[in-house]
Amino acid sequence: MARCLLAFGLVILVLAVSASRVHAMSCSEAVTTLMPCVPFVVGSDPRPTASCCLGVKTVNDQATTKEDRRALCECLKKAGPALGAKPEKAKQLPGLCGIKVPVPIDPNVDCNKIDL
């Protein structure tokens, strides 16, 4: 747990400095909203919690334009590894939460080349 909190603090610091925006939500706000998903994406919980799925829905709902989605894509590409997220677990989130996301969940995706 202490490792997750330290990683979270570092991610927030890095993302606050970058100050990229995801519609009405900054990158750091998006990451904070998705923090309930950390136990699932790092592999310590077998399923995402209801608060995790609510976070996924909230962030997804905020990213309404192509620019928002690209910013979100870049944001999460940076935040995921910093939090120790396992890509295969992160890819499962939309399906397990019953949410369709227009942004591919893949650490190798080129956010500027995808058609959102």
Side-chain angles (χ1 to χ4, degrees), residues 41-61:
V41 298
V42 299
S44 58
D45 281 359
R47 296 193 50 81
T49 62
S51 59
C52 167
C53 291
L54 179 60
V56 172
K57 181 181 182 335
T58 299
V59 171
N60 189 52
D61 289 349

Side-chain angles (χ1 to χ4, degrees), residues 20-27 30 59 62-63 68-69 71-72 75:
S20 63
R21 300 290 298 172
V22 178
H23 190 57
M25 182 179 281
S26 70
C27 183
V59 171
Q62 291 290 315
D68 295 339
R69 292 180 193 125
L72 177 60
C75 169

Side-chain angles (χ1 to χ4, degrees), residues 4 15-17 20 25-26 37-38 50 58 64 70 72 76 84 86 98 101 103 107-108 110 112 116:
C4 285
L15 297 176
V17 170
S20 63
M25 182 179 281
S26 70
C37 299
V38 170
T58 299
T64 58
R70 285 191 174 142
L72 177 60
L76 296 180
K86 297 177 180 178
V101 296
V103 178
N108 300 312
D110 182 343
N112 292 315
L116 304 171

Side-chain angles (χ1 to χ4, degrees), residues 73-74 76-78 80-81 85-88 90-91 103-114:
C73 177
E74 290 294 341
L76 296 180
K77 275 182 65 172
K78 292 175 187 171
K86 297 177 180 178
E88 66 277 4
K91 287 179 185 182
V103 178
I105 300 176
D106 186 332
N108 300 312
V109 70
D110 182 343
C111 300
N112 292 315
K113 292 186 177 179
I114 53 178

